[in-house]
């Protein structure tokens, strides 16, 4: 069976890693062998956003890097679609697997379904119900054109059912939990980031900012940076590894801004350093989807710097407070969560029957993809 995984952005490398491992395990089992080809669109291309993840996650090199790079939404997506179409025609697979909600996901799904290739969407069914988010447009479009929808949580599955997509949906659990469980020991053994940055466990807060809504709105970006400054001064020093988009936005839109002494800006860090930084942070503040979940998996509380979250389960567990860009709410939530979850008193690891699954989501993904390959063609 020929499987193509289409990836292109940082979170997709993380999500692909457990699938790569599950395919390898499947192939050792003696059944039908899966030939797994990774196609990289080149959406992320800096070593710190791409190469480092392939190395740390021990991913095989992509069979091809389409080298699309950065551009406007339409240009980036269009160029990806043309290049993916050519690639899929040159090496026709039995199933195409797309991940998450980026422009690489949309381009991969559209190119594949228009070639009538059976196509599966991993991390299907997420909804913020905010169509101003480019990711929301991508999710809705991708879910409504793919043949198999792999939902990470019961909430995601419910969203798919509400949209009439019940027949193509299956609950797998979240592969990002598989990834955290697989990498935690390696992170503990290899990451030297705390020493390099002079940080003690529980002695800092970790922040990330990269959403378009954050970086493209000067006033919102200013409010969020001010909120991080106030957390840094009043709760704990803040470490902020900067996505290149955010570094660029600060340089262009806020040329006179510079961080105060307790707000530490760093380049983006690798996955193992990131898990270490999250797992030892007093509190995490983020507008990232993946980082909210990783904080939850690692037993650390989170303040979400967005108006809403797709990961309602983390809020229901009282480990995540959605504070948007309101400075007072962010400061209050960070202080309260830091007091409630001291570093030595971690929340227990997610239970095996928790909303994100049991850490074996990728095995279910592979089983579902094999069933899709066996279905009669449209
Ligand atoms: C993309 C996804 C977003 C995801 C994020 C993960 C879309 C629409 N957005 O956002 O959902 O959460 O990836 O990180 O697909 N840049 C570099 N080097 C790189 C990559 C990007 O400098 O290796 C800079 C460029 O200036 C580029 C900007 O970052 O214009 C934005 O990159 P892009 O891939 O368009 O979107 P992200 O903001 O990374
Ligand atoms: N990540 C990382 N280094 C960083 C920032 C993020 O390794 O400096 C990881 C993070 O741990 C998670 C993934 O990248 O596994 C999430 O990517 P991002 O926040 O860019 O995208 P999102 O999840 O919001 O789509």
């Amino acid at each position: 069976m020929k499987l193509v995984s289409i990836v292109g952005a940082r979170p997709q490398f993380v999500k692909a890693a457990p699938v790569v491992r599950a395919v390898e395990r499947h192939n050792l089992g003696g059944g039908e062998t899966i030939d797994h080809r990774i196609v990289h669109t080149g959406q992320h291309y800096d070593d710190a956003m791409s190469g480092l993840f392939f190395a740390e996650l021990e991913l095989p090199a992509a069979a091809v890097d389409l080298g699309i790079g950065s551009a406007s939404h339409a240009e980036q997506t269009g160029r990806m679609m043309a290049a993916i179409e050519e690639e899929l025609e040159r090496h026709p697979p039995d199933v195409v697997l797309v991940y998450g909600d980026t422009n690489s996901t949309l381009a991969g799904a559209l190119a594949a379904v228009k070639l009538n290739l059976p196509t599966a969407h991993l991390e299907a069914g997420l909804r913020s119900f905010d169509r101003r988010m480019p990711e929301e447009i991508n999710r809705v479009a991708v879910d409504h054109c793919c043949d198999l929808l792999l939902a990470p949580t019961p909430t995601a599955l419910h969203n798919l059912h509400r949209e009439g997509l019940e027949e193509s949906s299956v609950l797998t659990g979240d592969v990002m939990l598989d990834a955290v469980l697989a990498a935690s020991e390696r992170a503990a053994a290899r990451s030297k980031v705390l020493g390099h940055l002079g940080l003690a466990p529980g002695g800092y807060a970790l922040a990330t900012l990269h959403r378009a809504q954050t970086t493209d709105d000067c006033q919102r970006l200013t409010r969020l940076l001010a909120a991080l400054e106030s957390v840094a001064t009043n709760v704990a020093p803040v470490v902020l590894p900067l996505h290149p988009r955010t570094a660029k936005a600060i340089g262009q839109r806020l040329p006179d801004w510079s961080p105060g002494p307790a707000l530490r800006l760093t380049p983006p860090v690798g996955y193992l350093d990131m898990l270490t930084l999250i797992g030892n942070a007093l509190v995490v503040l983020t507008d990232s989807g993946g980082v909210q979940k990783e904080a939850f998996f690692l037993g650390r509380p989170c303040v979400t710097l967005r108006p809403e979250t797709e990961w309602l389960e983390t809020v229901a567990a009282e480990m995540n407070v959605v504070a948007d860009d309101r400075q007072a709410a962010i400061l209050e939530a960070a202080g309260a969560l830091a007091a409630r979850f001291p570093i030595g008193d971690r929340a227990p690891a997610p239970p095996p029957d928790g909303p994100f699954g049991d850490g074996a989501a990728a095995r279910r993904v592979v089983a579902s993809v094999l069933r899709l390959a066996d279905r009669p063609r449209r």
Side-chain angles (χ1 to χ4, degrees):
M1 196 279 262
K2 290 193 172 121
L3 171 66
V4 162
S5 278
I6 298 179
V7 296
R10 173 166 74 181
Q12 292 164 333
F13 311 138
V14 175
K15 289 165 200 171
V19 176
V20 166
R21 296 287 99 81
V23 167
E24 287 168 354
R25 278 194 298 274
H26 167 86
N27 285 346
L28 291 174
E32 183 185 15
T33 302
I34 301 175
D35 169 10
H36 190 190
R37 194 175 159 83
I38 296 182
V39 172
H40 189 329
T41 64
Q43 177 170 351
H44 286 174
Y45 43 85
D46 291 347
D47 187 58
M49 299 294 288
S50 175
L52 183 57
F53 285 79
F54 276 75
E56 288 196 346
L57 293 159
E58 297 172 1
L59 284 169
V64 59
D65 184 337
L66 303 174
I68 302 299
S70 308
S72 71
H73 283 280
E75 187 185 339
Q76 187 184 50
T77 310
R79 286 175 46 212
M80 281 180 195
M81 281 180 68
I84 293 168
E85 180 180 65
E86 206 178 309
E87 165 63 21
L88 294 176
E89 281 181 322
R90 200 175 302 132
H91 300 282
D94 297 299
V95 173
V96 175
L97 182 58
V98 297
Y99 299 73
D101 53 18
T102 73
N103 287 347
S104 296
T105 320
L106 178 66
L110 287 177
V113 295
K114 290 204 162 195
L115 291 171
N116 290 325
L117 292 168
T119 305
H121 181 206
L122 182 150
E123 209 173 74
L126 295 198
R127 295 292 181 267
S128 63
F129 305 100
D130 177 0
R131 291 277 172 112
R132 287 167 307 170
M133 275 180 85
E135 293 84 359
E136 183 78 353
I137 309 281
N138 292 346
R139 293 166 186 154
V140 172
V142 170
D143 284 342
H144 282 264
C145 74
C146 282
D147 306 278
L148 172 63
L149 304 175
L150 304 157
T153 60
T155 304
L157 188 71
H158 176 71
N159 290 335
L160 294 169
H161 287 194
R162 278 184 4 161
E163 293 176 26
L165 297 169
E166 192 158 357
E167 276 186 16
S168 38
S169 307
V170 57
L171 180 65
T172 55
D174 196 315
V175 294
M176 286 192 78
L177 174 58
D178 302 21
V180 166
L181 295 176
S184 286
E185 265 179 38
R186 252 181 322 128
R190 288 199 208 162
S191 172
K192 309 250 182 300
V193 69
L194 297 185
H196 284 158
L197 294 176
L199 302 169
Y204 65 95
L206 176 74
T208 77
L209 289 177
H210 78 280
R211 294 254 149 246
Q213 286 131 307
T214 305
T215 60
D216 297 1
D217 176 340
C218 193
Q219 289 179 354
R220 187 175 170 85
L221 182 59
T222 305
R223 281 194 295 275
L224 283 169
L225 290 171
L228 294 183
E229 292 279 11
S230 75
V231 171
T233 311
N234 296 296
V235 180
V238 172
V239 178
L240 174 60
L242 270 191
H243 188 291
R245 174 187 202 107
T246 317
K248 198 168 142 191
I250 292 174
Q252 287 175 352
R253 294 171 203 273
L254 307 172
D256 297 331
W257 180 83
S258 62
L263 177 57
R264 178 96 172 258
L265 271 47
T266 77
V269 299
Y271 184 62
L272 299 181
D273 283 349
M274 192 63 180
L275 292 187
T276 305
L277 283 171
I278 294 172
N280 289 287
L282 187 57
V283 59
V284 173
L285 302 107
T286 189
D287 64 359
S288 158
V291 174
Q292 285 176 62
K293 287 188 286 180
E294 287 163 346
F296 181 69
F297 300 154
L298 293 167
R300 299 310 306 150
C302 180
V303 181
T304 292
L305 308 174
R306 286 182 40 201
E308 71 280 304
T309 179
E310 297 78 22
W311 304 109
L312 301 177
E313 293 80 1
T314 61
V315 177
E318 299 185 1
M319 292 290 287
N320 190 1
V321 173
V322 178
D324 198 5
D325 62 351
R326 291 169 288 129
Q327 188 172 332
I330 293 167
L331 181 60
E332 192 192 322
L337 288 169
R340 251 182 68 217
F341 296 98
I343 193 79
D345 185 21
R346 287 156 194 262
D353 58 349
F356 295 91
D358 56 2
R363 185 167 49 76
R364 288 186 205 96
V365 166
V366 170
S368 300
V369 159
L370 280 165
R371 281 196 293 276
L372 176 63
D374 284 343
R375 263 195 232 162
R377 286 286 183 95
R378 281 174 288 182

